[in-house]
Amino acid sequence: MGRRPPAAVPEMVRRKVEALGPAGQEWLRDLEATLGRLELAWSVVIGPPLEGGSAAYVALAQGADGRQAVCKVAMPDGLAGNSPFEQELRAIELAQGGLGYVELLAVSPDRRAILLERLGRPLSALGLSAERQIEVITATVSQGWRSAPDGLVMRDGATQARWLAEFIVTTWEELSRPCPEALVDLARQFAAHRASSVRAHPVVIHGDAHPDNVLEDPDRPGLFKLIDPDAMVSDPAHELGIVLRDWSEELLARDPLTTGQAWCRATAAEIGALSQAVWEWAYLERMSTGLFMAQLGLGRGRSLLEVAARWAEAPRITPSAP
């Protein structure tokens, strides 16, 4: 692969690191040295950075045997919306030996770094319709679900629902109320529903399954694997709500409410989940992500909130037309 180029940090990662303050600046200063130490520890050459990551420095790597891999160095914990590194690592470890997740090749916990198998193209690059991408993601995450083992310390869905409500209210106020208060009130209502509806047998969900986190499996043509989990123990309906939180441009090009609810019903039917539970999670995740993007100064937040405003017109999901 040749000599490793300088650690050019992608813009989204840099923005998040800067938001961390001194801890983020220290991480940036030490990154070059960290990569050098990982090369020695893992007997790899770390190549150019990859675009698409938002909470870590991600780069190509090659082992002494020529095997292609990916090196990921997580930024410090502490930024709202980012999952702790330990939770991501635990989710990947739990999934090893099964389907659905990337293979873990090496770990350096002290350096918050992991070495992963190199997968194929992300789902987002395949030119598939939104409906087909949602189908693929749903099938892939359901393969990756694992029962939570006894003693597992990880966020749960009820805690996350309460956190989302608090984050939505606080960020909405900090941003000088960028959307109608009725949208925030509905988020609080949905969060209360989800926090009080804990399943008897929750699973470890991926928690951030979007098309850039679902990559082609090079060993199984037509199938995919998950990367970058924002893991938690929750209801599968929560996972599906996260799957449906985006797609803003596609929704705004149609009727956002009718299309969004149709996707929700179809996705819930795939795994036997309650449509209303998926709908409430999707709304909560869309509102929180929209406000988070606005907080970072990214224009994507506007379209997320615009769709949320349309979804708020129907607090309960409507039945399918006969």
Side-chain angles (χ1 to χ4, degrees):
M1 182 179 287
R3 185 174 178 80
R4 176 173 51 79
V9 180
E11 178 63 22
M12 175 63 84
V13 177
R14 186 172 294 279
R15 284 188 184 225
K16 286 190 174 184
V17 169
E18 289 173 351
L20 283 167
Q25 293 303 316
E26 181 180 0
W27 181 85
L28 276 177
R29 285 195 306 270
D30 294 346
L31 181 58
E32 197 71 46
T34 298
L35 295 173
R37 294 187 185 102
L38 291 171
E39 286 184 319
L40 292 174
W42 292 340
S43 299
V44 299
V45 175
I46 299 175
L50 297 170
E51 292 290 339
S54 65
Y57 181 82
V58 183
L60 296 175
Q62 183 171 297
D65 59 359
R67 181 173 184 179
Q68 299 291 312
V70 172
C71 170
K72 179 175 180 179
V73 183
M75 67 175 64
D77 293 334
L79 188 65
N82 281 1
S83 175
F85 169 72
E86 289 76 12
Q87 289 189 178
E88 174 182 354
L89 175 58
R90 188 70 178 112
I92 294 175
E93 288 175 334
L94 286 171
Q96 296 303 293
L99 300 177
Y101 274 81
V102 65
E103 182 184 354
L104 180 64
L105 304 178
V107 182
S108 179
D110 292 345
R111 300 184 180 99
R112 301 171 56 80
I114 51 179
L115 189 69
L116 305 165
E117 69 171 317
R118 186 175 180 186
L119 299 174
R121 296 171 295 176
L123 182 61
S124 59
L126 302 185
L128 302 177
S129 68
E131 286 82 0
R132 179 56 184 148
Q133 291 184 67
I134 291 168
E135 289 175 3
V136 168
I137 298 172
T138 300
T140 306
V141 294
S142 63
Q143 285 186 330
W145 289 331
R146 303 287 187 274
S147 296
D150 292 340
L152 178 66
V153 178
M154 191 175 282
R155 276 179 306 163
D156 61 68
T159 299
Q160 182 69 0
R162 290 188 289 267
W163 183 88
L164 287 170
E166 182 179 350
F167 176 80
I168 288 168
V169 172
T170 301
T171 309
W172 179 71
E173 292 283 4
E174 289 176 355
L175 295 173
S176 301
R177 304 187 172 195
C179 61
E181 187 171 6
L183 274 63
V184 176
D185 290 340
L186 184 60
R188 283 190 287 211
Q189 176 185 328
F190 282 174
H193 291 172
R194 295 303 97 219
S196 63
S197 302
V198 179
R199 281 171 54 105
H201 302 289
V203 297
V204 178
I205 67 170
H206 179 278
D208 194 24
H210 56 71
D212 288 326
N213 280 347
V214 182
L215 277 61
E216 291 176 312
D217 183 344
D219 298 324
R220 300 185 301 155
L223 298 179
F224 297 80
K225 288 185 174 183
L226 299 161
I227 63 170
D228 296 352
D230 185 8
M232 66 192 88
V233 177
S234 193
D235 190 322
H238 187 180
E239 184 93 272
L240 301 188
I242 293 168
V243 172
L244 296 177
R245 74 181 165 198
D246 208 334
W247 314 100
S248 298
E249 299 307 317
E250 291 85 353
L251 288 163
L252 290 169
R254 314 180 196 181
D255 179 328
L257 179 57
T258 301
T259 304
Q261 290 207 336
W263 290 354
C264 177
R265 287 190 295 268
T267 306
E270 284 294 316
I271 66 158
L274 294 175
S275 297
Q276 183 63 26
V278 177
W279 184 244
E280 292 181 0
W281 278 120
Y283 180 84
L284 279 169
E285 293 285 347
R286 175 174 292 278
M287 280 288 294
S288 61
T289 304
L291 290 167
F292 181 53
M293 292 292 107
Q295 191 178 49
L296 292 175
L298 300 174
R300 179 183 161 211
R302 288 191 297 272
S303 58
L304 283 157
L305 295 176
E306 185 177 351
V307 173
R310 291 297 312 279
W311 283 12
E313 296 171 7
R316 295 202 61 80
I317 192 164
T318 56
S320 301

